Amino acid sequence: MADPEPTGEFGLIAWIRERVQAGRGVSQGIGDDCASLTFRAGAEVLVTTDMLMEGRHFLLHETTAAEVGYKALAVNLSDIASMAGVPVAAFVAVALPRGSAVEVAQGLHAGMIPLLEKFGVTLAGGDTNAWDGPLVVTVTLIGEATDRGAVRRSGARPGDLIIVTGPLGGSLLGRHLRPTPRVAEALVLAEVVRLHAMIDLSDGLAADLGHILEESGGLGATLDALAIPIHPDARSLGGSPIDHALHDGEDFELCLTVSPDDADRLLASPPSGVTLHRIGTIEVEPGLRLRLADGSTRPLTPKGFDHLLGGAS
Ligand code: ADP
Ligand code: MG
């Protein structure tokens, strides 16, 4: 409480800077024209960025600035997780609503702090603007692949089993604001098996698995309706729970493919703290199919949200 409220852009940046500890990999953080990062020789550097816009991704009268800050960083951490990388440094560019700029910026920061600390990430820079428009937050996260290399979407092979790290569907009821980035889970999985392909579930299982199939050269898959873990929220939303699990976005669980032998080993003794569900198989025949309880299969069409097409397709 002794802290005076920061005033002005530079006061705010100073306020943020005082709250940042330079950490691993960052040789110059906030305070120069560029940040400077140091990676181990030959390291594959991972870069991801995501923008959250008031009115599109959240409403400030329903959501606190801290929740927005948390989510803006969490979704980027989830992207680094899906490559099985180690997050290093975050950059935060904001367009703040003029009337409440400092308060909103402090809220954003408060929401990010627990994640920065939990994952050992340094807030190493950003850009601060205010305007008469709504809040826009862009987080850019830099990470480092392990010496096994980054896990891509493109490595799935026919016969691979498909695994997800948690229950799906109904995130709209509130979970979408506080996803748990599966950074540690991805790293331990990459350590114990050879991950062929991986993606984080942001657009919905059907759509995101579709990305793996497409990037892996036009493969297909059959999902087992009975094996898909359905989140309790998907049951309380109304409508078909399995449809919520297949098509709702923003679960931020990982979806990965591994050889059948590795899948057996993983499922027999999952790494400590990691939940795994085997949900289907990668196949040569293109397209996505759902096997129902009676053994029949039906084609499955992704319904993810497309910002340029507007609504659900
Ligand atoms: P420049 O005009 O050279 O871009 P700025 O005045 O925008 O410099 O930023 C000064 C320093 O503060 C830089 O290190 C920049 O990365 C950092 N910075 C600016 N805004 C933020 C923010 N919202 N969060 C974290 N760092 C920030
Ligand atoms: Mg700047």
Side-chain angles (χ1 to χ4, degrees):
M1 289 288 102
D3 251 8
E5 285 290 299
T7 48
E9 177 189 342
F10 296 105
L12 178 62
I13 293 172
W15 181 90
I16 293 173
R17 186 176 179 180
E18 280 163 23
R19 280 156 185 79
V20 169
Q21 294 166 4
R24 120 184 90 75
V26 178
S27 28
Q28 170 68 55
I30 295 173
D32 212 319
D33 290 306
C34 293
S36 150
L37 310 180
T38 309
F39 298 92
R40 60 170 210 288
E44 196 175 358
V45 176
L46 305 173
V47 184
T48 181
T49 192
D50 261 297
M51 176 186 284
L52 293 187
M53 303 160 73
E54 183 180 355
R56 171 86 279 179
H57 301 95
F58 63 91
L59 300 170
L60 257 195
H61 62 265
E62 291 179 355
T63 314
T64 65
E67 286 173 319
V68 174
Y70 177 97
K71 180 169 179 177
L73 181 54
V75 298
N76 281 282
L77 286 162
S78 183
D79 283 328
I80 297 284
S82 67
M83 311 288 282
V86 178
V88 173
F91 297 83
V92 178
V94 289
L96 300 164
R98 205 187 296 283
S100 52
V102 169
E103 182 193 331
V104 169
Q106 289 179 308
L108 290 172
H109 191 72
M112 291 182 193
I113 290 275
L115 285 173
L116 294 169
E117 288 179 352
K118 178 172 179 187
F119 294 105
V121 171
T122 304
L123 175 56
D127 194 31
T128 302
N129 306 276
W131 68 332
D132 293 321
L135 174 62
V136 181
V137 186
T138 301
V139 175
T140 301
L141 188 61
I142 313 290
E144 189 175 3
T146 69
D147 45 24
R148 283 174 215 92
V151 179
R152 299 170 199 284
R153 298 176 175 185
S154 54
R157 302 174 197 171
D160 278 1
L161 296 189
I162 305 163
I163 290 174
V164 293
T165 53
L168 308 178
S171 76
L172 195 67
L173 288 184
R175 261 160 52 240
H176 73 106
L177 288 173
R178 36 174 195 283
T180 305
R182 300 299 185 192
V183 174
E185 291 84 347
L187 287 168
V188 69
L189 286 168
E191 215 168 274
V192 296
V193 291
R194 197 180 144 79
L195 299 171
H196 286 174
M198 191 151 67
I199 192 167
D200 66 323
L201 296 177
S202 55
D203 295 336
L205 173 62
D208 288 321
L209 177 58
H211 297 317
I212 286 186
L213 300 177
E214 206 172 304
E215 295 301 322
S216 298
L219 297 173
T222 298
L223 294 176
D224 208 335
L226 288 179
I228 294 171
I230 297 176
H231 194 280
D233 288 348
R235 301 190 189 279
S236 39
L237 254 186
S240 149
I242 183 77
D243 278 353
H244 284 300
L246 287 167
H247 301 296
D248 289 0
E250 307 212 292
D251 290 305
F252 296 105
E253 296 294 347
L254 297 171
C255 174
L256 49 116
T257 87
V258 290
S259 74
D261 282 354
D262 277 346
D264 287 345
R265 285 204 293 126
L266 273 183
L267 294 162
S269 55
S272 146
V274 182
T275 309
L276 299 172
H277 307 264
R278 199 216 80 136
I279 60 166
T281 311
I282 301 285
E283 294 162 343
V284 175
E285 189 192 339
L288 200 50
R289 294 160 287 280
L290 184 67
R291 181 175 298 110
L292 305 175
D294 65 6
S296 66
T297 59
R298 69 164 167 87
L300 187 55
T301 313
K303 290 185 202 157
F305 183 83
D306 184 314
H307 281 279
L308 298 188
L309 296 179
S313 54

